[in-house]
Amino acid sequence: MHLGFLTVCLGNMQLKDKAKWASENGFKSLEIACWPQVNSRDYSSCDIDVETLTEEKAEEIKKYMKDYGLSISSLAYYDNNLDPDPEKRAYINNHTKKCIDAAVMLGTSMVGTFIGRDPNKNLKENFDEFEKVFSDIVGYAESRGIKIIIENCPMEGWQKEGLPGTISFTPELWEEMFRRIPSMNFGLNLDPSHLLFQLIDYVKVVPAFKDRIFHVHAKDAEIFKDKLEWYGVFNRQFPKKGETGYWRFRMPGLGQVDWSKFIKALKDVGYDGVISIEHEDPLYEGSEEKVKEGLKLGYNHLKQFI
């Protein structure tokens, strides 16, 4: 088991510089962002352009990653693979496949993405669409020796106000995912923060899905009890800029996830992969220095349990 981080948080810094800083600060891997150069996601970056990646460029990246003592834990492209616009969906599905091709060239075994959602369809219809789309994506990945990992983020309000933007954010939904696509090349990028603010036990899910946990995100969350009691589980209905609802993301150790219990549960089921910090703490954003400070705080808290 080792610590890494998702490269999005360091913005437009060159990937080689991100790798150098990661190595100098004790990290052992990077989860590399591979969104397209032009995209509409708010939390994204393009550290490797998979559209133009060549074998020569891949070898260059592998060399400096090796020189810095780092591995690539996965390639990250989290977008809506069930987009209701057929052209946009086809583009997103195709870009996911290009990430799979890039993973082969770069010698990493995983590509992370979202299932997403078509907001014009009900849940069953979305799962029917999921089965078609992801049977193809997972089959393509399996043929290339790559695993597909799904982060369990609700993405509430992504396409439509008040509606979760994905169909993969609770254990009940994971059961349906894996019933529909039983391939063992299809699993989770498990993030306990998303379970915490939904009031789901993030420790109990570990043994229940032990064979499907391929990658782990380290992101914390903070629940404000007074706001929960005021806004309720559907959260604030008239959000204002700069004001939170009943929860917010934090760096590991600054929220309410019990990392000792969570990591022990992972160890107990034999998980020995990456714990990858996904930095979305609003109190450690705004400058490169603040982001790096946040990553160091997260690293120092987590390393005591690794």
Side-chain angles (χ1 to χ4, degrees):
M1 194 178 287
H2 62 277
L3 296 175
F5 65 87
L6 175 57
T7 58
V8 173
C9 61
L10 286 173
N12 293 325
M13 183 190 295
Q14 292 297 305
L15 179 59
K16 188 173 183 179
D17 294 330
K18 293 180 182 183
K20 181 175 184 290
W21 184 87
S23 177
E24 290 170 347
N25 286 275
F27 292 97
K28 298 300 181 185
S29 69
L30 290 179
E31 180 182 1
I32 300 179
C34 293
W35 277 262
Q37 288 279 5
V38 179
N39 74 92
S40 58
R41 274 298 315 276
D42 55 342
Y43 185 81
S44 64
S45 68
C46 182
D47 286 312
I48 295 176
D49 185 352
V50 300
E51 304 275 348
T52 61
L53 184 67
T54 62
E55 291 286 356
E56 182 181 13
K57 180 63 177 176
E59 288 301 318
E60 177 190 332
I61 293 168
K62 287 195 287 184
K63 183 181 185 306
Y64 68 67
M65 290 290 286
K66 183 178 179 181
D67 290 345
Y68 289 132
L70 298 170
S71 63
I72 300 173
S73 66
S74 69
L75 301 185
Y77 172 51
Y78 290 88
D79 216 321
N80 186 4
N81 278 285
L82 301 186
D83 194 283
D85 182 300
E87 287 188 17
K88 191 171 181 183
R89 180 189 293 193
Y91 176 82
I92 292 168
N93 297 165
N94 189 50
H95 192 82
T96 302
K97 288 182 176 179
K98 288 182 178 180
C99 289
I100 293 166
D101 294 338
V104 175
M105 284 193 273
L106 291 161
T108 187
S109 64
M110 287 182 266
V111 170
T113 193
F114 284 145
I115 293 172
R117 186 184 204 122
D118 181 343
N120 302 316
K121 296 182 183 293
N122 65 31
L123 186 59
K124 182 188 179 301
E125 290 168 339
N126 266 281
F127 266 105
D128 292 342
E129 291 295 308
F130 152 76
E131 191 168 355
K132 294 174 193 172
V133 169
F134 274 83
S135 290
D136 179 50
I137 289 172
V138 173
Y140 185 80
E142 197 163 8
S143 73
R144 309 281 276 148
I146 302 298
K147 293 179 179 179
I148 295 294
I149 54 174
I150 303 296
E151 185 188 356
N152 55 294
C153 179
M155 293 295 290
E156 60 274 19
W158 191 13
Q159 301 101 14
K160 187 177 287 187
E161 184 180 320
L163 184 73
T166 66
I167 58 168
S168 51
F169 54 90
T170 70
E172 176 193 17
L173 297 171
W174 306 341
E175 288 174 333
E176 183 67 5
M177 279 168 42
F178 299 132
R179 184 186 72 80
R180 300 240 186 177
I181 300 184
S183 169
M184 293 309 296
N185 273 60
F186 184 52
L188 294 169
N189 185 3
L190 183 63
D191 186 329
S193 70
H194 299 303
L195 299 173
L196 179 84
F197 71 73
Q198 293 181 84
L199 312 182
I200 295 172
D201 191 320
Y202 54 85
V203 174
K204 284 184 180 177
V205 302
V206 173
F209 291 91
K210 62 182 180 180
D211 296 329
R212 298 289 186 170
I213 301 171
F214 298 163
H215 197 279
V216 173
H217 264 177
K219 186 160 76 263
D220 218 327
E222 180 178 21
I223 292 174
F224 304 101
K225 188 171 182 290
D226 58 336
K227 292 184 178 182
L228 175 58
E229 291 171 346
W230 184 256
Y231 296 127
V233 294
F234 294 108
N235 215 344
R236 189 170 187 161
Q237 299 300 298
F238 292 101
K240 295 179 181 177
K241 189 174 181 180
E243 296 186 16
T244 62
Y246 79 78
W247 64 271
R248 67 180 174 186
F249 290 130
R250 298 305 316 269
M251 295 309 302
L254 299 181
Q256 291 154 359
V257 171
D258 187 325
W259 293 98
S260 175
K261 285 184 179 179
F262 180 64
I263 291 174
K264 180 182 183 300
L266 290 168
K267 289 180 178 178
D268 286 348
V269 300
Y271 180 81
D272 63 354
V274 68
I275 308 291
S276 181
I277 296 175
E278 184 185 21
H279 183 345
E280 293 187 48
D281 188 327
L283 302 188
Y284 288 91
E285 293 177 343
S287 70
E288 184 180 306
E289 291 71 26
K290 290 292 287 183
V291 169
K292 288 178 176 178
E293 183 184 354
L295 287 170
K296 288 177 183 178
L297 282 169
Y299 176 89
N300 288 332
H301 183 73
L302 294 168
K303 72 176 181 180
Q304 62 189 312
F305 309 120
I306 301 300

